Amino acid sequence: MIKLTVNGAPREVDVPDDVPLLWVLREELGLTGTKYGCGIALCGACTVHLDGKPLRSCVTRVGEVAGKEITTIEGIAATPMRAVQEAWIAHGTPQCGYCQGGQIMSAIALLRAKPKPTDADIDSAMSANLCRCATYVRIRSAIHAAAETLAGSAAGSATVPPTATPSAPDAGTKPRGEAP
Ligand code: FES
Ligand code: FES
């Protein structure tokens, strides 16, 4: 039996030590917000936090994280970092949504490390989270909005207008192949 703390709650799973954490979360604990994309640590869809730091759960054996604190996307809404999810919604960031749980987990890690990230900080920190729908500009905008909210700015996310919609693509900046 392997003991973990997941989203603040103690959990026990009866699986071999070498089962990927991703499958334990999804199949044993029913936390399906963490997605399988590549299985080889290249896409970021499976990103969770281990003791607050981002972790690729697809290549992490559950035995490696026994006794540790795991946070998944399902655990974010109960924390102040729900501001990031709210910014994602306000900016209409997801398209298909498949990658977005991992994107949000990486964005939260960035905002903890750099509460006021620059565009370059965002592009660097988020570069390993891939989005087949190419929502990168909206991800950037949502992170800036969340940073303002988290900083307690009077402006906050409500006054930072979304900069991209499917019918009005962002002009000027197209990091990492933003769709036209
Ligand atoms: S599924 Fe883990 S990085 Fe792609
Ligand atoms: S929103 Fe579809 S893969 Fe990112």
Side-chain angles (χ1 to χ4, degrees), residues 3 9 39 46 58 65 71 85 93 108 115 120 126 144 161 166-167 174 177:
K3 295 182 179 180
C46 68
C58 68
V65 297
T71 305
Q85 290 175 310
T93 303
I108 290 170
M126 302 298 292
H144 283 305
S167 59
K174 286 187 176 184

Side-chain angles (χ1 to χ4, degrees), residues 1-4 10-17 24 28-29 62-63 65-67:
M1 198 70 77
I2 296 173
K3 295 182 179 180
L4 308 167
R11 307 298 296 259
E12 291 187 359
V13 289
D14 187 10
V15 297
D17 282 6
V24 171
E28 301 293 324
L29 302 180
V62 67
V65 297

Side-chain angles (χ1 to χ4, degrees), residues 94-100 131-133 135:
Q95 287 197 28
C96 81
Y98 196 85
C99 72
Q100 298 292 338
C131 176
R132 292 290 297 269
C133 302
T135 61

